[in-house]
Amino acid sequence: MVKAVLDAGVVVTGAGGGIGAALARRFAAEGARVVVNDLDADKAKAVAEEIGGTAVPGDASAIVADARDALGGTVDVYCANAGVAFEDGAADGPLDERTWSLSWDVNVMAHVRAAHELLPGWLERGGGRFVSTVSAAGLLTMIGAPSYSVTKHGAYAFAEWLSLTYRHRGLKVHAICPQGVRTDMLAATGSAGDLVLHPTAIAPEAVADALFRGIEEDRFLILPHPEVAGFYQARAGDPDRWLAGMNHLQRTWEETR
């Protein structure tokens, strides 16, 4: 058992399946009391019943108060996991107002709203844990998916800001940045995901394992695909060379579509 989460009140958004469900199961197995959130009420209920948790369905941006009540008044760990992804990088440009608006709201602002609700209590108590499911796209980028890439960069930046601002006041922050994970969302990446993500895709449970190693080691950046560290270093060390390589990948994708 990981002492940091034993009997903790945990909220996992987007937990009706995929990474969220894997996180909810793992927290419950470690002795936490878990609120399972999802827009799909039936999926949230099914996972909650499986793990002995509590279902609080609805928009992830607006469930903190109800989740807090379900946990007896205190949220110890908040997993901002709900997310959306689109293949919206068409050849004629990246502008699709609907996908940009929805991506920004779910992938970034839901995290900001949750933190706004949770921080006063955490800072008063001198402790809390915020887990942000970002993506390797938040450190790098993803061909064919501009709204996803940009908003995941935003989610990562917000997690960084939370950590640097409040770590001396007891806040623990973890940013999970996997590449491909075998979930329904992977299918939403379309042909670009087939080219880039499917070959090294991992199970959702592997992401949960990586998070718990990070919690035990008190690490901010969680890389379920360790090779992402090298890609991130290459991007920072020689941006032009990295961009040239990514453009080569882009052209390969265009040729196969």
Side-chain angles (χ1 to χ4, degrees):
M1 291 288 181
V2 177
K3 291 182 179 180
V5 302
L6 183 62
D7 199 40
V10 178
V11 179
V12 186
T13 67
I19 293 174
L23 294 177
R25 293 184 182 108
R26 182 59 182 271
F27 274 106
E30 295 286 342
R33 297 169 292 111
V34 182
V35 162
V36 178
N37 162 258
D38 201 274
L39 272 176
D40 188 317
D42 291 336
K43 288 183 178 180
K45 181 181 179 182
V47 174
E49 289 179 347
E50 174 193 339
I51 67 172
T54 304
V56 178
D59 185 337
S61 291
I63 54 91
V64 170
D66 288 342
R68 185 188 286 120
D69 289 344
L71 291 169
T74 302
V75 174
D76 300 297
V77 182
Y78 187 89
C79 297
N81 171 78
V84 292
F86 302 96
E87 184 181 347
D88 54 342
D92 57 351
L95 182 61
D96 180 326
E97 293 279 2
R98 184 188 68 85
T99 59
W100 276 94
S101 178
L102 183 59
S103 296
W104 186 256
D105 195 60
V106 176
N107 294 348
V108 181
M109 291 309 300
H111 299 205
V112 176
R113 295 181 187 114
H116 178 74
E117 291 291 325
L118 292 162
L119 275 169
W122 284 347
L123 297 179
E124 182 179 352
R125 289 162 44 205
R129 193 177 300 269
F130 191 93
V131 179
S132 177
T133 301
V134 184
S135 166
L139 298 174
L140 306 169
T141 193
M142 178 59 192
I143 61 172
S147 63
Y148 183 76
S149 297
V150 172
T151 55
K152 287 299 185 177
H153 274 268
Y156 183 77
F158 183 63
E160 276 191 325
W161 183 86
L162 284 176
S163 183
L164 69 89
T165 304
Y166 299 113
R167 61 170 47 206
H168 66 292
R169 299 181 65 180
L171 180 62
K172 305 288 188 180
V173 182
H174 308 281
I176 312 173
C177 296
Q179 292 192 110
V181 182
R182 292 192 289 272
T183 67
D184 290 343
M185 185 179 286
L186 183 58
T189 61
S191 58
D194 292 340
L195 176 65
V196 178
L197 302 176
H198 276 279
T200 59
I202 59 176
E205 291 76 17
V207 178
D209 289 344
L211 171 62
F212 272 76
R213 287 193 298 271
I215 289 174
E216 289 184 300
E217 297 168 5
D218 197 21
R219 283 188 287 108
F220 168 77
L221 181 57
I222 311 297
L223 297 177
H225 294 79
E227 61 270 27
V228 169
F231 302 152
Y232 191 37
Q233 289 174 339
R235 174 179 178 268
D238 192 341
D240 286 298
R241 181 177 180 181
W242 181 79
L243 284 168
M246 290 300 294
N247 178 252
H248 176 76
L249 187 63
Q250 170 74 21
R251 286 179 284 139
T252 299
W253 175 52
E254 291 176 3
E255 290 168 1
T256 61
R257 296 183 73 188

